Amino acid sequence: MFDDFAVDVVDVGETELFVRYGGSGSPVLLLHGHPRTHATWHRVAPILASRHSVICPDLRGYGRSGKPPTTADHAPYSKRAMAADMVALMRALGHERFAVAGHDRGSYVAHRLAADHADVATRLVVMDGIPIGEALARADAKFAAAWWHWFFLGQTDKPAERVINADPDAWYTASAEQMGQEAYEDYHRAIHDPDTVHAMCEDYRAGLTVDRANDDADRLAGRRIRCPTLFLWSAEDDMQELYGDPLQIWRQWADDVTGRAIDSGHHMAEEAPDELAAALLEFLLSASA
């Protein structure tokens, strides 16, 4: 897994991030979703590394990265804090400007990075996610039925950690057959760590509060993503069922948006790595032309 990639732990100020990186060429930062770790990219990253420097960290709170203390406002697990981590990480690795691609919860970090650090993000790829503020503004009964876990993980009156930690393998149902044995072992170790489970819940609590507020503030101020943006969604997931044409949503937030569906279930980096890597390479090449 990740042949010829280096492994490091990098101090980014508020915490430390576990990271794998390899390849050469223009830099691309790949951000995983929930409840995955950086290892979800193990089938995609080596393909990209033939043309790019590829950096795959664990987000703060996830995997083997640090888990800062939580606060009542959930700000330590905001996407703004996570995006700042990534800018510091990339600078530590020698990359002042770079492309960023995120899936699932990682897509919200990628979006926030491009919004807050427009001088740093050369291009943005978002996968299986529209802005948190947009999703919550559009939330209806269909959304609540399909994405109820947002509200279960995000509430604090009856914290989800106790339920998840009672049997993580029952709650999270990935398999080694789907993920690959080494990637599965990395994920399995993470979901059995109560500190990681708590941090992942804090990610969702931030989503319902501070992250939504930050998105709403951007919308009110008319701030938009300036760099070329690619949106990819899993054809077998519910993005179109919930939103119709998701590209029209992203065009309300970004100036230059293209995209298409990937023939896959939700975890596209594991289920359709060749198609996903080809889409990323095509976009990265066209955006740099």
Side-chain angles (χ1 to χ4, degrees), residues 84-243:
D85 286 347
M86 296 306 148
V87 173
L89 169 68
M90 294 298 278
R91 285 177 177 160
L93 296 177
H95 306 298
E96 292 295 327
R97 304 184 74 240
F98 52 88
V100 57
H103 178 256
D104 186 77
R105 302 304 289 185
S107 76
Y108 309 130
V109 181
H111 169 217
R112 182 48 50 196
L113 192 156
D116 286 358
H117 305 276
D119 57 331
V120 166
T122 59
R123 61 215 70 169
L124 168 66
V125 183
V126 283
M127 293 167 266
D128 283 334
I130 65 170
I132 290 176
E134 187 79 48
L136 290 171
R138 291 169 175 262
D140 56 13
K142 181 184 290 187
F143 179 90
W147 289 32
W148 60 272
H149 65 281
W150 272 33
F151 308 102
F152 175 62
L153 298 172
Q155 53 80 40
T156 56
D157 288 344
K158 295 183 179 180
E161 288 91 331
R162 182 175 178 181
V163 175
I164 298 170
N165 289 327
D167 191 348
D169 294 315
W171 178 259
Y172 295 117
T173 57
S175 67
E177 289 74 22
Q178 175 188 4
M179 299 182 66
Q181 185 61 41
E182 290 181 80
Y184 176 78
E185 290 172 2
D186 196 64
Y187 143 91
H188 191 261
R189 179 172 52 248
I191 66 170
H192 280 262
D193 177 1
D195 290 338
T196 299
V197 171
H198 175 61
M200 291 192 295
C201 290
E202 283 293 304
D203 173 5
Y204 281 83
R205 290 165 188 151
L208 297 183
T209 55
V210 63
D211 293 332
R212 181 181 190 178
N214 289 335
D215 279 3
D216 289 350
D218 281 356
R219 192 204 305 263
L220 184 63
R223 286 190 288 268
R224 297 172 60 82
I225 302 299
R226 299 201 303 266
C227 64
T229 299
L230 175 69
F231 179 56
L232 300 172
W233 66 94
S234 303
E236 298 172 25
D237 210 354
D238 59 1
M239 188 62 59
Q240 288 178 290
E241 180 182 351
L242 289 172
Y243 302 117

Side-chain angles (χ1 to χ4, degrees), residues 262-273:
I262 297 291
D263 187 13
S264 171
H266 180 62
H267 295 286
M268 60 175 72
E270 298 162 9
E271 300 175 41

